[in-house]
Amino acid sequence: MNDYATPLDRSRQPQPGPLPNISFPAFEGGTLSNGLDVWTVQNHEQPIVSLSLYVRAGSALDPRLREGLAASVADLLTKGTSRRTATEIAETIDFVGGSLSASASWDALTINVSVLSKYLDVAIDLLGDVLQHSTFPEEEIERMRLQRLAGLQQAKADAGFLADLVFSKLVFPGHPYGQQSMGTEHSIQKINRDDIVGFANDYIMPANSFLVAAGDIKPDAFRLLIEKETSSWKG
């Protein structure tokens, strides 16, 4: 009789297998002259680099009646700077086969850039540009507003969205975590450019942020590039 024919003893709980031996790569950290903490993790298995900049400010800091403000700031960071239009930003990262995005969680606003390591200078240039020179154009704000309102209308037909919304309000009554991080139809209508610029100026600064770079990089050379690119970023 083979093992498959042997009946299972369901009266006993199965025992776990042996713990896997997981070895994480070493990481290095340091602080730039402007106060930005930089962490690097080397992994040379593939010629790829990922940069993630975290700002310690998310949707939990949205003012009352301005719910969705942090998410709006994140949406607009990559939609135009004093050096590039939204289209030019998209074309620049697409030309090197990379990706650039920004998002907001409850506690952090994050900018992510991924490129082949030979285009690391392009990634650093774009990251520095959207961090320091975003202009939050009015036409992009209106486009974002229309997209967000359309998304909220669609979300009302999603049972999972409605369940999550009620869950948050019941678990976190009176707390920012009970708010709608993507905003409400009323709050999105009220958010204006002054709100967006004010949030960015108040929170997006080196001393309130940290950068993690992982992949096919040389830490010392990388820090020199970041130091040069963000030398005028203060606060």
Side-chain angles (χ1 to χ4, degrees):
M1 183 179 291
N2 57 39
D3 291 340
Y4 294 103
T6 303
L8 295 175
D9 183 358
R10 300 184 184 278
S11 65
R12 293 187 301 174
Q13 183 177 3
Q15 296 300 307
L19 291 174
N21 184 19
I22 300 176
S23 178
F24 290 98
F27 56 89
E28 302 176 38
T31 304
L32 303 185
S33 59
N34 62 1
L36 176 66
D37 291 330
V38 176
W39 298 88
T40 56
V41 184
Q42 295 187 71
N43 185 336
H44 302 288
E45 293 182 5
Q46 296 180 345
I48 298 173
V49 179
S50 293
L51 310 180
S52 296
L53 186 131
Y54 299 88
V55 181
R56 298 178 180 90
S59 299
L61 293 176
D62 288 347
R64 185 69 176 157
L65 303 181
R66 294 294 188 277
E67 293 86 354
L69 179 56
S72 299
V73 173
D75 282 349
L76 293 163
L77 278 174
T78 60
K79 296 302 188 295
T81 70
S82 58
R83 295 165 53 189
R84 297 178 175 96
T85 64
T87 300
E88 288 170 339
I89 291 173
E91 289 177 344
T92 300
I93 194 65
D94 287 346
F95 184 77
V96 297
S99 63
L100 169 67
S101 63
S103 60
S105 63
W106 283 118
D107 300 304
L109 188 152
T110 310
I111 305 172
N112 294 300
V113 193
S114 293
V115 292
L116 293 172
S117 52
K118 64 180 179 180
Y119 297 123
L120 178 59
D121 57 335
V122 176
I124 292 175
D125 178 53
L126 280 173
L127 179 63
D129 193 17
V130 300
L131 270 176
Q132 302 171 88
H133 309 125
S134 289
T135 52
F136 308 108
E138 288 285 3
E139 62 270 20
E140 294 295 341
I141 294 174
E142 284 307 310
R143 184 176 291 110
M144 177 275 300
R145 194 192 316 279
L146 291 174
Q147 291 173 343
R148 190 67 61 81
L149 290 172
L152 286 169
Q153 285 290 337
Q154 292 178 342
K156 288 181 177 180
D158 185 337
F161 170 82
L162 297 175
D164 288 342
L165 182 61
V166 173
F167 177 84
S168 297
K169 289 184 178 297
L170 292 175
V171 174
F172 303 108
H175 189 277
Y177 285 4
Q179 299 177 169
Q180 288 184 236
S181 61
M182 65 183 299
T184 66
E185 291 174 300
H186 180 68
S187 66
I188 293 300
Q189 292 281 16
K190 293 183 70 68
I191 291 174
N192 56 44
R193 187 175 183 277
D194 288 342
D195 297 323
I196 291 166
V197 173
F199 188 98
N201 288 340
D202 286 344
Y203 298 112
I204 302 178
M205 59 185 70
N208 193 43
S209 309
F210 62 94
L211 173 65
V212 179
D216 185 25
I217 57 172
K218 297 178 180 178
D220 292 340
F222 172 75
R223 278 192 289 269
L224 287 174
L225 288 172
I226 285 292
E227 180 87 55
K228 180 180 179 181
E229 179 62 36
T230 62
S231 60
S232 60
W233 190 33
K234 305 294 183 183

